[in-house]
Amino acid sequence: MRTLDDLDVDGKRVLVRVDFNVPLDQGQKITDDARIQAALPTLRELRENGAKLLLAAHLGRPKDREPEFSLRPVAERLAELLGTDVKLAESLDDVPDGDVVMLENVRYEPGETKNDPELAKRYAALADVYVNDAFGAAHRAHASTEAVAHLLPSAAGRLLEREVATLRGILEDPARPLVAVVGGAKVTDKIGVLDAFLDRADTILIGGAMCFPFFKAQGHEVGDSLCEEEGIEPARAILEQGSDKLELPVDLIAGQEFDADTAVKTIDGVDVPAGWMGLDIGARSVERFAAVVASAGTVFWNGPMGAFELEPFAAGTRAIAEAIAASPATTVVGGGDSAAALAQFGLADDVTHLSTGGGASLELVEGKPLPGVEALS
Ligand code: ADP
Ligand code: MG
């Protein structure tokens, strides 16, 4: 993969695809600017090397030019962070000159998500060089992430470079033992990741609602727990293939409703009675999982251990996050909700690498080629 070291940008206009898909509240205020912050090293390096920047980014999934998906609040925040003027180009046909210019939401263009070559030509006509730093969008073949990369001298920005190197490093040459901690809501989304780790990891710890299809496959009662029906057969297959590597919870915290004020009880074991749902892993599970994490050489974590947004069910995720933060291992965290959990517990700076990509980090760890990355090779 080509990097900034392979590009001459002095005096050139560089089209930089960034991932500025930030959360906005009703009043259009940015509630978390981590993704903007994460692109700053690349943007600063390019400017120091004499480039003028033309930024391209998407925000949400607009159906047409809906104003609530405008990048204006993002341009304003970036201007504050860079300490310079950032102009917003409303239309591709009228892009102002300037040291830092941002195109409006690329998903306002109907051809963007179709990887339309004509749209890519219009992007390319606006710049001399292309840099992709949008790791979070690299698993999509879109006009601003894939097609345009073939039309200009192109390379990865520093964020994309670091994401790919770190996540590939886990697959290729991890310090052992390699431990995967997989949780969250959907087994079917994460089967590919489990398969990849069955081949490579020494231990796979399973928490969150992920564990219920496994328990169901083993013949346990799951009560009203979130248990994906389509996940049960894949869970059974994984149990047969790799049961010596898998560790499932041995106790649970259950609630009657998905609500912070609901009745709560500890279940010593993993059979959940009717009328209850398992919403967190229990204290004995935490102890076992934390010990595995403490003696790991590398930890990859994706997916919370429970419904951590609800205080009565946050303890398991908090304790595992703390164990990962305290572990001397190389620790890599992927997934939007896992990142949010780390931030909520004030531990975001205590892991080796916090990936900015949800889907992209999972696909990379699964060993799938990412179109946005392949286009830079
Ligand atoms: P990530 O974004 O890190 O990949 P997911 O999106 O897969 O993680 O899962 C996060 C969600 O899973 C959280 O909203 C959390 O509330 C939910 N979750 C975790 N455990 C449970 C559970 N036992 N029951 C219901 N929801 C759960
Ligand atoms: Mg999520």
Side-chain angles (χ1 to χ4, degrees), residues 120-136:
K121 276 187 208 159
R122 293 175 70 203
Y123 292 145
L126 298 170
D128 308 303
V129 172
Y130 172 78
V131 167
N132 189 354
D133 214 22
F135 179 67

Side-chain angles (χ1 to χ4, degrees), residues 190 335-338:
K190 301 186 181 184
D337 291 287
S338 312

Side-chain angles (χ1 to χ4, degrees), residues 17-323:
R17 178 59 161 98
V18 283
D19 177 10
F20 285 172
N21 192 23
V22 292
L24 292 168
D25 70 9
Q26 305 291 341
Q28 297 291 91
K29 271 192 119 84
I30 296 168
T31 53
D32 178 2
D33 68 359
R35 285 184 159 163
I36 305 177
Q37 302 263 9
L40 293 177
T42 295
L43 303 185
R44 291 199 175 114
E45 182 175 341
L46 286 167
R47 294 190 76 214
E48 277 159 22
N49 291 335
K52 285 189 186 183
L53 306 183
L54 179 63
L55 305 174
H58 78 276
L59 185 66
R61 293 170 184 232
K63 291 192 192 72
D64 56 81
R65 292 194 160 252
E66 296 152 285
E68 63 267 36
F69 293 101
S70 169
L71 282 169
R72 187 164 297 283
V74 175
E76 284 166 8
R77 183 77 189 110
L78 179 66
E80 285 167 20
L81 292 169
L82 284 177
T84 187
D85 206 31
V86 176
K87 289 184 195 162
L88 188 69
E90 308 266 352
S91 154
L92 287 182
D93 297 318
D94 184 18
V95 177
D97 198 20
D99 288 340
V100 185
V101 178
M102 189 183 290
L103 298 178
E104 252 303 2
N105 193 340
V106 288
R107 291 199 186 162
Y108 281 174
E109 302 295 333
E112 168 63 15
T113 56
K114 301 186 183 90
N115 205 18
D116 176 15
E118 292 308 315
L119 178 60
K121 276 187 208 159
R122 293 175 70 203
Y123 292 145
L126 298 170
D128 308 303
V129 172
Y130 172 78
V131 167
N132 189 354
D133 214 22
F135 179 67
H139 58 316
R140 313 257 189 234
H142 289 174
S144 70
T145 62
E146 207 280 336
V148 69
H150 301 289
L151 304 178
L152 293 171
S154 62
R158 296 301 181 202
L159 173 64
L160 186 92
E161 181 187 351
R162 183 161 50 90
E163 291 271 14
V164 170
T166 309
L167 292 163
R168 281 203 180 134
I170 294 181
L171 294 179
E172 284 160 13
D173 187 24
R176 296 214 173 251
L178 170 61
V179 176
V181 185
V182 187
K186 289 199 158 186
V187 204
T188 42
D189 276 2
K190 301 186 181 184
I191 288 295
V193 175
L194 289 179
D195 277 337
F197 280 111
L198 274 181
D199 289 343
R200 295 186 173 87
D202 298 287
T203 308
I204 303 173
L205 307 174
I206 295 186
M210 272 291 283
C211 62
F212 296 110
F214 286 90
F215 289 146
K216 195 138 196 194
Q218 288 175 330
H220 291 288
E221 296 298 329
V222 300
D224 296 340
S225 305
L226 179 62
C227 179
E228 244 187 325
E229 208 49 48
E230 315 87 270
I232 297 170
E233 276 318 306
R236 193 190 313 280
I238 286 171
L239 282 168
E240 279 164 14
Q241 241 181 300
S243 54
D244 57 324
K245 287 187 179 179
L246 287 186
E247 275 208 41
L248 288 156
V250 293
D251 56 352
L252 297 167
I253 310 294
Q256 285 185 315
E257 314 271 346
F258 192 92
D259 191 300
D261 297 321
T262 190
V264 178
K265 73 170 176 180
T266 301
I267 298 174
D268 189 17
V270 295
D271 285 291
V272 182
W276 292 84
M277 53 181 93
L279 288 172
D280 196 9
I281 61 174
R284 280 200 298 126
S285 309
V286 163
E287 212 173 294
R288 293 167 68 121
F289 285 11
V292 173
V293 165
S295 59
T298 307
V299 180
F300 176 76
W301 178 32
N302 175 277
M305 296 292 98
F308 73 98
E309 304 93 331
L310 309 176
E311 185 48 39
F313 309 105
T317 304
R318 184 193 306 269
I320 298 307
E322 283 169 352

Side-chain angles (χ1 to χ4, degrees), residues 323-345:
I324 291 171
S327 171
T330 300
T331 50
V332 180
V333 181
D337 291 287
S338 312
L342 270 185
Q344 181 178 316
F345 305 138

